[in-house]
Amino acid sequence: MASSIMESLFQRSLDDLVKGLRLQMIGESRYLAKVLDEVKKEINSTDAATKVVALQKLTYLHMLQGSDMEWASFHVVQVMTMPKFAYKKIGYLAASQSFHEETDVLVLTTNLLRKDMGSKNEYETGMAIECLSRIANRDLASALTQEIFTMMTSGRTFVRKKATLALLRVFSKYPDAIRVAFKRLVEKMDDPDPQVVSAAVSVLCELTLRDPRSYLPLAPEFYRLLESSTSNWLSIKLVKIFGALTPLEPRLGRKIAGLLCEQMNKTMAKSLLFECIRTVTLGLTDHAGAVKLAVEKLKEIMAQADPNLKYLGLQALAALMPVHPWAVADNKDTIVQCLNDGDPSIQRQSLVLIMGMISESNVTETVQVLLQYVRSTDPIFCNQLILSILSICSRACYEMISDFPWYVSVLAQIAHIPFCEHGEEVGRQLMDIALRVESVRREVVKVARDLLVDPALLACVPLQGVLCAAAWVAGEYVALAPLGAFELLEALLQPGTRLLPMAIHAVYLQAVLKVFVFIATACYQDSSLGQQNNEHGSSQFLGEGSLEAAVVLIISNVTPLVNSVNMEVQERACNLLGLLQALEKPTNSEDGERWRDEGFGALEALNEVFGIELGPVSVHAQGRVVVPEGLDVEDNLDALGPIGDYDEILLEAGEKRPTSVYREWDAGFVITQQSSDDPSLADASAALLAQHRHRHENYYLPTDAVSRDYPPPHFSSANTPTTPEAAASSTSLDSSMLGESSQLWTKPRQTKARRPVVVKLDDEDDMPELSAHAKKKGLKDEFLASAIRDALATDESKQRVDANGLESAHRGHSSRRHRHGQHSTKHPENGSKHDGSGPSQPDKTLVGQRIREEVHEGKKQTSDVSRKEQGRNKYRPSKHEIMVLEDGLSSNSENEREGTFELKENARWKKKQQKQRHSHRQNQHHARSSVPTQADSVPPIPDFLL
Amino acid sequence: MTIRFVLLVNKQGQTRLAQYYEYLTIDERRALEGEIVRKCLARSENQCSFVEHRNYKIIYRRYASLFFLVGVDGEENELAILEFIHCVVETMDRYFGNVCELDIMFHLEKAHFMLEEMVMNGCIVETNKVNILAPIQLMDKSS
């Protein structure tokens, strides 16, 4: 005793802890460690007060400093059991903060919670319910469903309200509870206390948003509540429910449009107004009156300076845009102004709207406006703008663009924007347009040349993608801008190109080759023509001696690249120099003549090759290659060893790496000589190849089928192509994207008169994987939703049976009954499990009693069977129906076999449900043969709508 | 349409109260709080009070040196949440008398109790200040 007094006397209180934390002289982490040590000691104390304070401190540290408190979970339960309310509350707080579904002591809390729920003190009860709704897992939820169910009819508002709300968690963890409590939940919408009504609506609102279709039958209740609601909180929830329901049922929209308009006109609360507008945009888009009113209200709201309202207004307009573009067009000025707003969220939202409004007729002016903003805003938004422009204009093969020269100039402007981070995309589009739109090539080449000439761009990393494309375009279509050929050559060889990444530099070199071939051909033609008649030469645009100058320029700039570490750059440099060497004029004039012819012939050939028109390649091109007969790609893949093995082989031959040989070359060396001429190298690579072939025989085509003198593989130090073919088709930009065979797939697009022809492949917009993806969505909620659908459906099916049994007059009668107390006939009827409970309202306690029994029974035997029994008792199914039932079961077990459902219990539940759905369908069929088949999983629409 | 979490953060970006209505590990919470706080505190007075982050919508409001941030899912009504934040502040004002950061630091659990009364399962249940404070006053009396 004395020791415990001492303990509590000298214990650091929570206040002390917080003060210490603020002052801490010894550093935060050390202080925390010290306190935690103290807590660990104190929490084992036998003195209640000491223990509680220790737990309080630990919880504090857990909440704010993130200290672990898993280890203390048993102590938490101990404190929760203390009788004193203040202590208990601290225990409960600790539990709701630190427990989660996997906490092992949860099993210990079941009885504790049950006891506290039965407490005389309503706040204790409330606390226990609150805690349950935070920590419940499946076991806890199933064990306490009964208590929650009972408390929903408690005499105390406080308890009723909390119990009702706890259902949300209980339902989601233990869907079987729906069977027990759903009817009572619906009843709570008629509770005399508005707080309880609000709680019930909150739960239903949540459930409805997860799966609206199941709740359509409750629409009349929601409508009635909305009509009489005086609380904005409640109205918002109800309006939100209708937002989810109306898209499913057009007749419902007609019914509530008037009510919503009334709310919009009447309410002073902006939150409710926005909720109404949102619902209009979601489900009432074809009610002109409601939409008009909503747009009017939006206009008023947007005119105000409050950024919150502006943002929400823009969002609402964005939702309206697909159906009512006029609403956006009406507010165009405001929206464009918002681009300049200081708030990035608002800017982004207005950008979304503007992008949505772009069409062929206004694309030019809109993009011009956007470009102005691009220059004036911060880098982040600037890039968003650029990205939107690029993506919208290139959509569906530039369908929006008819003035391509203009668009090319836009691309050029974008490339020159300092913050631009989308160089790759700009480059891609430039190249794409050059390939697809013949009539605009001249402009593209001009733009490309301007980009290449600017030395400032070379150092700008994000724009290197543009330069890459520009180099390719300029090289490929050099013939379209003959006047600038020499300048272009200079630009491509300027010293700054060394700053470029190797892959891009390689593209530059290829472009140099093309430009040089063009210049040389032109000069030769010129000189040969010049011999015949001295008037016109095609090289009139090239200055005198430009060929010599070009050769000098290339030799001086390309020679160093022969030592490049990049395989591609090195190879292209060598090729280029080799070509120059071959064309070099011999000294004696006799050979000169022969040389002229040979050199000219070679150039002509090259020029011809480069002159072949290239078309875009379809993404599906590979798929169209016919698989050779007898080739099984899947076969024996396991036999292929890990790539590591292959690397080892390479390492063994490491010293003889071909690249090191290349480095020894200089420009004077005979470059035409192939690496295979080096005997040691050739041997090494042949040995490697043989080794690989030996190991992976399966993957080689038969030797005689391929050409006999297989070239030795070229190993690059950076990336190792696994086969010679792969090496051949490696990073070279030109070879990968071009390829003549692709032209087979090109098809000129028939377009409107003014628009230039855009080459478009027939299958370019195919997106095969999209639909599969969409289906996956929402699997998680599926189970709960279907359980509820089932609960509702059971009721409805029962009702149908009743209706079937009774005179048809009964239906007409029930349709008029909306008022309090009588709605139960139209709503999920838990009592449906009991024969003869019928449409008349049984005594509440009796129902409770029965359901309690039901629950106990259900634990003992699978309620599956009892359900089947009821089904039999209620009406005698025809042979056909039984067959359908059996079908349902068997198809379900198939699903199970496929592993679609995770838990066995789920499967069982599913079985039940499927069966009910079938019986429900049958019932419906009986009641109303004209019901469309779509209704099989849908509860029938209440009469209220008809 | 539920509230996923409620955060109270001071001007320096230190979390003063955090209540989550879905389970996140400590590390996830820290990361999330860090990102959100950085995003929200960088915003100026004349920008709107809504920020989208990951799959949350953050609705925040500044009172003196304290930021109240509420994370909700996509379907929640933003203006209603703003009203809710105001209601929280008024309740705290009533209990602490012009609430400040220190009040919350020293009475963190009280602040939690208030939130517990106001929000359950992420749904707003109670906005009446008297009702909210009743259990807390009972507790004060009993201890």
Side-chain angles (χ1 to χ4, degrees):
Chain A
M1 187 63 202
S3 73
S4 68
I5 292 174
M6 290 299 279
E7 261 178 14
S8 60
L9 260 182
F10 292 103
Q11 191 183 20
R12 203 193 289 264
S13 73
L14 181 59
D15 275 8
D16 298 335
L17 169 78
V18 179
K19 274 179 202 151
L21 206 56
R22 283 164 57 79
L23 294 173
Q24 34 141 331
M25 315 292 264
I26 55 171
E28 194 178 86
S29 56
R30 275 181 66 195
Y31 180 77
L32 283 179
K34 202 170 142 224
V35 174
L36 274 176
D37 274 349
E38 285 173 12
V39 166
K40 276 179 190 169
K41 268 182 227 134
E42 290 162 9
I43 208 161
N44 288 312
S45 163
T46 47
D47 177 45
T50 316
K51 194 181 184 83
V52 168
V53 171
L55 183 64
Q56 198 179 15
K57 288 193 285 188
L58 182 60
T59 315
Y60 185 90
L61 293 179
H62 171 74
M63 289 193 290
L64 287 196
Q65 309 292 331
S67 315
D68 174 49
M69 64 179 293
E70 291 271 310
W71 57 271
S73 51
F74 186 70
H75 297 288
V76 174
V77 178
Q78 280 183 325
V79 175
M80 283 163 83
T81 55
M82 289 182 178
K84 197 169 169 184
F85 180 72
Y87 291 173
K88 201 184 257 301
K89 183 113 189 153
I90 287 167
Y92 270 99
L93 175 66
S96 52
Q97 287 297 321
S98 66
F99 286 6
H100 51 94
E101 277 189 57
E102 268 84 50
T103 308
D104 45 5
V105 293
L106 276 193
V107 278
L108 301 177
T109 58
T110 317
N111 279 322
L112 171 66
L113 287 174
R114 187 175 287 141
K115 191 177 131 256
D116 282 338
M117 282 175 184
S119 161
K120 285 204 181 73
N121 181 345
E122 60 176 330
Y123 295 118
E124 269 183 27
T125 314
M127 201 159 70
I129 301 175
E130 163 81 36
C131 186
L132 175 74
S133 76
R134 297 292 300 275
I135 66 173
N137 57 7
R138 191 186 153 82
D139 293 339
L140 213 49
S142 71
L144 293 171
T145 302
Q146 189 51 49
E147 272 71 21
I148 296 288
F149 180 74
T150 324
M151 281 187 294
M152 283 172 75
T153 51
S154 156
R156 294 169 296 189
T157 311
F158 185 76
V159 175
R160 273 210 310 278
K161 174 183 80 179
K162 294 226 159 187
T164 308
L165 259 168
L167 278 184
L168 192 56
R169 173 91 181 194
V170 173
F171 281 179
S172 67
K173 295 291 163 197
Y174 178 62
D176 283 313
I178 292 161
R179 197 166 298 282
V180 182
F182 193 76
K183 184 194 164 204
R184 193 160 281 185
L185 173 63
V186 174
E187 275 172 21
K188 287 294 131 194
M189 287 204 290
D190 288 315
D191 198 276
D193 190 284
Q195 284 188 12
V196 182
V197 176
S198 171
V201 171
S202 296
V203 175
L204 284 168
C205 177
E206 265 326 292
L207 296 173
T208 309
L209 291 180
R210 285 182 206 172
D211 173 43
R213 195 164 281 280
S214 310
Y215 301 88
L216 269 176
L218 293 177
E221 295 306 313
F222 295 138
Y223 185 85
R224 181 176 57 76
L225 277 177
L226 183 57
E227 254 183 335
S228 57
S229 161
T230 50
S231 150
N232 283 337
W233 295 100
L234 182 63
S235 302
I236 288 174
K237 293 224 160 90
L238 289 165
V239 171
K240 196 175 278 299
I241 291 177
F242 280 116
L245 293 184
T246 41
L248 302 173
E249 179 47 78
R251 287 172 295 177
L252 184 59
R254 218 177 303 141
K255 183 91 184 167
I256 68 156
L259 186 57
L260 278 186
C261 289
E262 192 188 309
Q263 295 273 1
M264 281 195 270
N265 281 324
K266 192 175 69 180
T267 184
M268 299 301 291
K270 291 274 189 309
S271 49
L272 180 55
L273 177 61
F274 262 109
E275 203 55 63
C276 291
I277 292 175
R278 195 172 292 176
T279 294
V280 169
T281 61
L282 282 174
L284 295 173
T285 38
D286 41 0
H287 292 80
V291 173
K292 204 161 160 257
L293 182 62
V295 175
E296 260 170 43
K297 291 281 174 192
L298 276 178
K299 212 168 195 171
E300 280 171 32
I301 287 167
M302 304 259 297
Q304 295 180 21
D306 186 349
N308 289 345
L309 298 181
K310 220 171 239 170
Y311 176 76
L312 294 175
L314 289 172
Q315 251 185 354
L317 282 179
L320 270 178
M321 187 166 58
V323 196
H324 296 288
W326 59 268
V328 183
D330 260 13
N331 291 297
K332 197 178 171 190
D333 294 339
T334 327
I335 296 168
V336 173
Q337 271 171 19
C338 287
L339 274 183
N340 228 358
D341 201 279
D343 185 347
S345 318
I346 293 181
Q347 285 180 327
R348 206 172 317 127
Q349 200 67 46
S350 59
L351 179 61
V352 168
L353 281 172
I354 291 173
M355 283 303 147
M357 291 303 290
I358 271 190
S359 69
E360 215 178 313
S361 54
N362 63 12
V363 63
T364 322
E365 41 179 320
T366 315
V367 169
Q368 286 309 354
V369 171
L370 291 182
L371 279 176
Q372 280 171 14
Y373 281 103
V374 162
R375 291 198 188 85
S376 61
T377 58
D378 60 306
I380 298 171
F381 187 58
C382 160
N383 275 306
Q384 279 174 349
L385 279 170
I386 291 174
L387 191 62
S388 326
I389 295 176
L390 290 176
S391 58
I392 205 97
C393 290
S394 64
R395 199 174 54 192
C397 267
Y398 313 95
E399 63 173 4
M400 208 114 64
I401 311 291
S402 46
D403 184 1
F404 274 94
W406 165 80
Y407 185 56
V408 170
S409 75
V410 168
L411 287 177
Q413 285 181 50
I414 291 176
H416 279 98
I417 289 162
F419 307 120
C420 175
E421 283 166 9
H422 300 287
E424 292 277 309
E425 178 62 17
V426 175
R428 192 193 66 77
Q429 291 195 12
L430 273 179
M431 217 147 70
D432 204 31
I433 292 174
L435 276 171
R436 289 178 196 268
V437 194
E438 200 184 343
S439 60
V440 82
R441 272 182 204 154
R442 206 172 287 273
E443 281 80 5
V444 181
V445 172
K446 205 169 149 285
V447 164
R449 215 182 60 95
D450 293 346
L451 285 167
L452 292 172
V453 167
D454 190 347
L457 297 181
L458 282 169
C460 182
V461 178
L463 288 186
Q464 282 167 349
V466 186
L467 291 179
C468 176
W472 183 82
V473 168
E476 181 64 27
Y477 301 113
V478 62
L480 294 177
L483 277 173
F486 191 74
E487 266 175 279
L488 185 61
L489 199 63
E490 280 179 326
L492 287 170
L493 289 167
Q494 61 186 295
T497 50
R498 249 167 283 153
L499 298 169
L500 291 170
M502 290 299 183
I504 298 178
H505 206 166
V507 177
Y508 265 62
L509 282 179
Q510 189 72 5
V512 169
L513 175 64
K514 288 177 190 167
V515 176
F516 172 73
V517 168
F518 173 76
I519 293 177
T521 321
C523 286
Y524 277 110
Q525 274 171 353
D526 190 35
S527 61
S528 56
L529 279 175
Q531 281 179 339
Q532 288 151 20
N533 55 343
N534 233 335
E535 287 161 26
H536 273 300
S538 56
S539 77
Q540 51 178 314
F541 43 84
L542 293 165
E544 193 63 29
S546 56
L547 180 59
E548 285 73 21
V551 171
V552 171
L553 189 68
I554 292 174
I555 289 182
S556 63
N557 282 294
V558 174
T559 310
L561 298 178
V562 173
N563 290 333
S564 168
V565 286
N566 183 282
M567 159 103 180
E568 201 66 43
V569 173
Q570 191 188 36
E571 191 181 352
R572 289 185 188 186
C574 291
N575 285 345
L576 196 51
L577 292 178
L579 178 71
L580 289 186
Q581 212 133 31
L583 293 178
E584 205 173 328
K585 210 171 192 171
T587 35
N588 58 1
S589 59
E590 213 175 287
D591 289 342
E593 275 308 302
R594 197 159 50 83
W595 163 84
R596 166 178 285 283
D597 294 342
E598 278 177 12
F600 189 54
L603 279 176
E604 280 283 80
L606 270 176
N607 206 17
E608 209 170 294
V609 170
F610 290 144
I612 292 173
E613 175 106 348
L614 299 167
V617 182
S618 160
V619 278
H620 303 298
Q622 181 74 42
R624 302 199 184 191
V625 179
V626 183
V627 180
E629 214 168 299
L631 174 68
D632 186 0
V633 193
E634 315 263 304
D635 193 29
N636 277 337
L637 263 187
D638 290 339
L640 187 65
I643 295 181
D645 293 1
Y646 188 50
D647 286 343
E648 273 167 37
I649 302 172
L650 268 184
L651 277 180
E652 284 163 25
E655 299 143 43
K656 296 175 192 167
R657 282 213 172 171
T659 43
S660 59
V661 181
Y662 279 109
R663 280 201 197 119
E664 287 160 24
W665 290 2
D666 60 45
F669 202 77
V670 188
I671 293 167
T672 44
Q673 198 174 5
Q674 281 296 312
S675 62
S676 57
D677 292 356
D678 184 339
S680 68
L681 182 68
D683 284 351
S685 52
L688 276 179
L689 184 63
Q691 209 172 339
H692 189 262
R693 185 178 280 265
H694 180 70
R695 285 171 78 120
H696 305 299
E697 189 70 56
N698 287 336
Y699 308 102
Y700 280 89
L701 295 171
T703 352
D704 38 1
V706 209
S707 67
R708 292 202 179 250
D709 37 10
Y710 221 77
H714 295 260
F715 297 120
S716 100
S717 52
N719 53 345
T720 320
T722 38
T723 59
E725 294 96 312
S729 67
S730 69
T731 52
S732 155
L733 180 68
D734 319 57
S735 62
S736 65
M737 56 170 298
L738 314 170
E740 293 159 48
S741 61
S742 68
Q743 283 181 322
L744 293 175
W745 308 114
T746 57
K747 184 179 83 181
R749 185 169 177 253
Q750 296 301 317
T751 41
K752 283 149 265 171
R754 278 190 309 118
R755 196 163 182 268
V757 176
V758 180
V759 179
K760 191 178 170 191
L761 303 174
D762 44 0
D763 55 355
E764 218 146 9
D765 299 326
D766 285 3
M767 286 290 179
E769 301 103 36
L770 215 72
S771 55
H773 197 73
K775 270 188 187 170
K776 276 203 156 188
K777 187 185 158 267
L779 245 174
K780 201 181 141 203
D781 287 335
E782 165 74 8
F783 187 47
L784 173 64
S786 58
I788 291 182
R789 197 181 304 143
D790 181 43
L792 279 164
T794 330
D795 173 59
E796 283 297 331
S797 69
K798 188 190 162 297
Q799 191 192 329
R800 295 287 167 214
V801 175
D802 292 341
N804 234 4
L806 299 168
E807 297 87 347
S808 54
H810 173 71
R811 269 175 58 80
H813 180 65
S814 75
S815 70
R816 259 173 266 121
R817 296 199 285 166
H818 294 316
R819 295 262 63 91
H820 175 77
Q822 293 181 319
H823 63 98
S824 55
T825 45
K826 293 196 272 100
H827 294 306
E829 176 115 43
N830 214 270
S832 68
K833 294 182 173 184
H834 311 281
D835 298 341
S837 59
S840 66
Q841 175 91 329
D843 182 29
K844 268 185 184 173
T845 51
L846 195 64
V847 174
Q849 187 71 37
R850 279 183 187 173
I851 286 172
R852 218 166 296 142
E853 285 163 16
E854 182 83 26
V855 168
H856 284 295
E857 262 176 36
K859 273 178 194 160
K860 280 179 225 140
Q861 50 168 322
T862 42
S863 48
D864 207 344
V865 182
S866 63
R867 202 131 262 284
K868 206 182 262 177
E869 289 305 318
Q870 288 155 20
R872 292 264 160 77
N873 289 346
K874 217 158 263 159
Y875 69 103
R876 199 152 293 280
S878 69
K879 253 185 196 167
H880 169 69
E881 280 165 40
I882 293 172
M883 263 174 60
V884 172
L885 290 183
E886 302 302 309
D887 260 353
L889 288 175
S890 67
S891 76
N892 183 266
S893 62
E894 252 171 50
N895 277 344
E896 210 174 332
R897 228 174 296 134
E898 282 164 28
T900 328
F901 299 108
E902 322 75 48
L903 294 171
K904 274 205 166 159
E905 278 150 316
N906 282 13
R908 198 185 67 200
W909 170 248
K910 203 86 186 175
K911 243 184 228 175
K912 237 189 268 177
Q913 181 190 312
Q914 196 138 5
K915 198 174 59 183
Q916 278 160 11
R917 230 181 281 160
H918 274 287
S919 64
H920 169 214
R921 194 191 307 177
Q922 291 303 322
N923 291 338
Q924 254 186 329
H925 205 67
H926 280 252
R928 261 201 277 184
S929 52
S930 63
V931 174
T933 44
Q934 175 234 9
D936 39 344
S937 64
V938 188
I941 295 134
D943 306 328
F944 152 84
L945 297 168
L946 304 173
Chain B
M1 71 172 279
T2 54
I3 296 177
R4 305 287 191 81
F5 56 81
V6 179
L7 288 179
L8 249 76
V9 178
N10 67 9
K11 258 195 306 196
Q12 287 77 41
Q14 293 164 303
T15 309
R16 286 291 167 237
L17 179 152
Q19 175 75 292
Y20 288 84
Y21 297 95
E22 61 189 349
Y23 181 72
L24 294 175
T25 63
I26 297 277
D27 291 337
E28 287 167 341
R29 290 182 186 192
R30 293 223 139 165
L32 183 69
E33 282 168 27
E35 291 161 19
I36 291 173
V37 165
R38 228 171 297 132
K39 245 186 184 174
C40 293
L41 265 58
R43 293 169 66 85
S44 69
E45 288 281 326
N46 51 7
Q47 299 184 342
C48 74
S49 310
F50 319 121
V51 179
E52 277 169 40
H53 182 72
R54 298 205 205 164
N55 48 347
Y56 298 111
K57 213 154 44 179
I58 317 291
I59 293 138
Y60 71 95
R61 198 160 187 172
R62 184 179 167 165
Y63 287 88
S65 66
L66 274 180
F67 284 85
F68 286 72
L69 304 109
V70 179
V72 298
D73 58 19
E75 279 144 337
E76 186 61 90
N77 187 312
E78 293 89 347
L79 295 174
I81 295 294
L82 277 180
E83 280 172 46
F84 163 73
I85 292 176
H86 193 66
C87 183
V88 173
V89 176
E90 279 180 346
T91 314
M92 288 181 170
D93 266 346
R94 175 178 286 215
Y95 184 76
F96 296 115
N98 210 355
V99 65
C100 68
E101 195 182 333
L102 282 184
D103 288 324
I104 291 167
M105 283 190 77
F106 283 101
H107 304 281
L108 184 62
E109 74 284 2
K110 302 275 166 57
H112 269 283
F113 297 154
M114 285 176 215
L115 275 181
E116 260 173 30
E117 290 305 314
M118 298 180 76
V119 184
M120 205 174 147
N121 272 331
C123 299
I124 299 165
V125 270
E126 185 61 80
T127 46
N128 181 323
K129 293 171 206 78
V130 179
N131 291 347
I132 297 167
L133 293 176
I136 301 163
Q137 276 151 357
L138 178 80
M139 187 179 148
D140 288 345
K141 243 181 271 165
S142 79
S143 60

